[in-house]
């Protein structure tokens, strides 16, 4: 491991319990910073309501840490929007944000558009499929941004069980993202969960970053932030255990392809020869090929969008 990564692990890796809520509230008042929590959601009616309710109860009603909770619905066909609204979130449909630019499917697309409908100086992203949710997922990663002026982006780190097996979740991280980072961006080798969907950042950073529209958004954001603000502006916080819905192997293959493509563009900014992935499923006549396109689009930094500039000036 690089010497600066070892140093970083000692100075930029914390536990959520290192910063009690009283300390965070005092820091929030002194800095006058506002906090937005964004949940990107697609057919998550079973879990989104509990997540919103816990954040609202613990971090809005008990203590004034979070200023707004916004659920961005990216086309759910279940009751995600109704459940989230009933729990206390403001719900916005992806297609209603920046209609001038037609939306494309993908998590990164939703996160990018969320900057236009939130107002917090600090924006905290939380996946909507988490089970047994703790509000420390939010307070833990927001904490260093409130108490440390030199920190711009904070990732959550946690154990990810797969069924009853401890630490076996995060298969794409271990098989794709971690090898890529260690080989090509070794300064980022200290991140325990580089692909984790729970992270917080200053708006002033997020608005300068391009957003891959799909599953490559977390890797792309981490790499681009490293180049823009440097390793010491990045941090991670241990929030315990993350339980969520796991995807099957083929879905993980498609996710891996998108992540590799994101890394490839950042390595060379070159031309993709074949932005697609072929997988196989057994059918009546043997193995049948299924070919999927790999996300090849990225949204520009939000600071370059005219509507966003007008909103900031208003």
């Amino acid at each position: 491991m690089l010497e600066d990564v070892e140093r970083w692990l000692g100075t930029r890796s914390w536990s959520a319990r290192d910063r009690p809520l009283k300390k965070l509230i005092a820091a929030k008042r002194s800095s006058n910073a506002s906090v937005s929590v964004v949940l990107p959601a697609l057919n998550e009616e079973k879990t989104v309501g509990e997540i919103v309710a816990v954040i609202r109860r613990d971090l809005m009603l008990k203590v004034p840490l979070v200023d707004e909770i916004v659920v961005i619905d990216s086309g759910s066909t279940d009751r995600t929007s109704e459940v989230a609204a009933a729990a206390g979130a403001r719900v916005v449909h992806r297609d209603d944000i920046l209609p001038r630019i037609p939306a494309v499917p993908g998590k990164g697309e939703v996160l990018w558009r969320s900057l236009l409908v939130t107002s917090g100086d600090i924006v905290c992203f939380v996946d909507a499929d988490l089970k047994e949710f703790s509000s420390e997922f939010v307070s833990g990663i927001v904490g260093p941004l409130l108490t440390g002026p030199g920190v711009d982006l904070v990732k959550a780190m946690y154990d990810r069980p797969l069924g009853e097996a401890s630490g076996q979740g995060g298969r794409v991280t271990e098989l794709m993202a971690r090898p890529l980072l260690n080989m090509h961006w070794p300064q980022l080798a200290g991140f325990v969960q580089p692909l984790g969907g729970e992270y917080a950042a200053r708006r002033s950073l997020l608005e300068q970053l391009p957003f891959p529209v799909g599953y490559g958004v977390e890797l792309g954001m981490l790499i681009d932030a490293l180049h823009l603000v440097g390793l010491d502006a990045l941090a991670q916080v241990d929030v315990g255990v993350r339980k969520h819905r796991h995807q099957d192997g083929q879905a993980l293959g498609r996710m891996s392809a998108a992540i590799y493509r994101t890394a490839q563009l950042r390595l060379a900014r070159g031309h993709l020869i074949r932005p697609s992935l072929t997988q196989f499923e057994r059918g009546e006549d043997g193995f049948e090929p299924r070919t999927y396109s790999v996300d090849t689009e990225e949204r520009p930094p939000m600071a370059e969008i005219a509507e966003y500039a007008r909103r900031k000036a208003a």
Side-chain angles (χ1 to χ4, degrees), residues 130-148:
L130 303 188
K131 303 173 183 177
E132 301 177 27
F133 180 77
S134 164
S135 59
E136 285 191 344
F137 272 75
V138 173
S139 59
I141 57 179
V142 166
L145 296 164
L146 291 172
T147 61

Side-chain angles (χ1 to χ4, degrees), residues 255-275:
M255 185 185 301
S256 297
I259 289 165
Y260 179 74
R261 166 261 168 194
T262 300
Q264 182 189 45
L265 287 184
R266 278 153 181 79
L267 283 169
R269 295 291 173 180
H271 175 66
L272 275 177
I273 297 174
R274 185 175 181 266

Side-chain angles (χ1 to χ4, degrees), residues 281-301:
E281 297 178 7
R282 185 182 289 279
E284 292 182 2
D285 299 319
F287 285 102
E288 300 173 356
R290 301 283 188 271
T291 299
Y292 302 88
S293 61
V294 174
D295 296 322
T296 58
E297 189 169 356
E298 294 195 5
R299 295 305 190 187

Side-chain angles (χ1 to χ4, degrees), residues 19-314:
R19 293 173 177 82
L21 281 175
K22 287 185 178 180
K23 183 176 181 179
L24 298 187
I25 297 303
K28 184 174 188 287
R29 286 172 178 158
S30 65
S31 66
N32 201 32
S34 54
V35 177
S36 299
V37 176
V38 172
L39 280 75
L42 177 63
N43 295 329
E44 302 293 359
E45 67 175 3
K46 294 181 179 180
T47 50
V48 68
E50 176 68 13
I51 297 171
V52 170
V54 169
I55 297 171
R56 178 173 167 77
R57 180 194 68 207
D58 292 354
L59 303 179
M60 296 182 82
L61 300 179
K62 290 184 179 179
V63 296
L65 184 69
V66 170
D67 297 282
E68 63 175 349
I69 307 173
V70 181
V71 171
I72 311 293
D73 191 332
S74 57
S76 298
T77 56
D78 64 3
R79 297 182 60 253
T80 290
S81 290
E82 294 88 341
V83 170
R90 177 162 60 94
V91 179
V92 184
H93 195 282
R94 174 200 62 195
D95 295 345
D96 294 333
I97 307 170
L98 199 61
R100 172 176 66 85
I101 301 177
V104 297
K107 179 183 180 182
E109 177 83 355
V110 174
L111 300 184
W112 181 71
R113 289 174 186 263
S114 75
L115 297 181
L116 266 166
V117 293
T118 54
S119 58
D121 303 301
I122 295 169
V123 182
C124 176
F125 298 121
V126 177
D127 282 350
D129 65 342
L130 303 188
K131 303 173 183 177
E132 301 177 27
F133 180 77
S134 164
S135 59
E136 285 191 344
F137 272 75
V138 173
S139 59
I141 57 179
V142 166
L145 296 164
L146 291 172
T147 61
V151 177
D152 289 327
L153 184 149
V154 182
K155 297 279 295 188
M157 57 176 167
Y158 31 67
D159 181 50
R160 296 182 68 177
L162 180 61
E164 298 300 319
S166 176
Q168 295 302 307
R171 290 161 288 173
V172 175
T173 292
E174 299 304 328
L175 296 175
M176 175 61 70
R178 201 177 307 287
L180 280 172
L181 292 176
N182 275 263
M183 287 187 289
H184 299 296
W185 296 278
Q187 282 188 300
L188 298 174
F191 277 93
V192 175
Q193 297 292 351
L195 300 185
E198 291 69 47
Y199 48 99
R202 299 190 192 280
R203 178 176 293 271
S204 57
L205 171 62
L206 293 173
E207 66 188 13
Q208 297 181 69
L209 299 177
F211 277 60
V213 298
Y215 285 121
V217 62
E218 276 84 22
L219 185 82
M221 187 178 296
L222 202 56
I223 294 169
D224 293 340
L226 173 68
H227 290 296
L228 192 62
V229 296
L231 181 61
D232 283 340
L234 313 180
Q236 60 184 349
V237 172
D238 188 348
V239 296
V241 179
R242 183 187 197 267
K243 296 182 179 181
H244 66 114
R245 171 175 43 81
H246 293 282
Q247 301 194 56
D248 64 34
Q250 292 210 332
L252 296 180
R254 297 190 289 275
M255 185 185 301
S256 297
I259 289 165
Y260 179 74
R261 166 261 168 194
T262 300
Q264 182 189 45
L265 287 184
R266 278 153 181 79
L267 283 169
R269 295 291 173 180
H271 175 66
L272 275 177
I273 297 174
R274 185 175 181 266
S276 60
L277 173 73
T278 298
Q279 297 176 317
F280 295 87
E281 297 178 7
R282 185 182 289 279
E284 292 182 2
D285 299 319
F287 285 102
E288 300 173 356
R290 301 283 188 271
T291 299
Y292 302 88
S293 61
V294 174
D295 296 322
T296 58
E297 189 169 356
E298 294 195 5
R299 295 305 190 187
M302 188 57 78
E304 298 177 7
I305 300 299
E307 290 88 338
Y308 186 79
R310 287 197 294 270
R311 197 196 72 149
K312 286 193 71 176

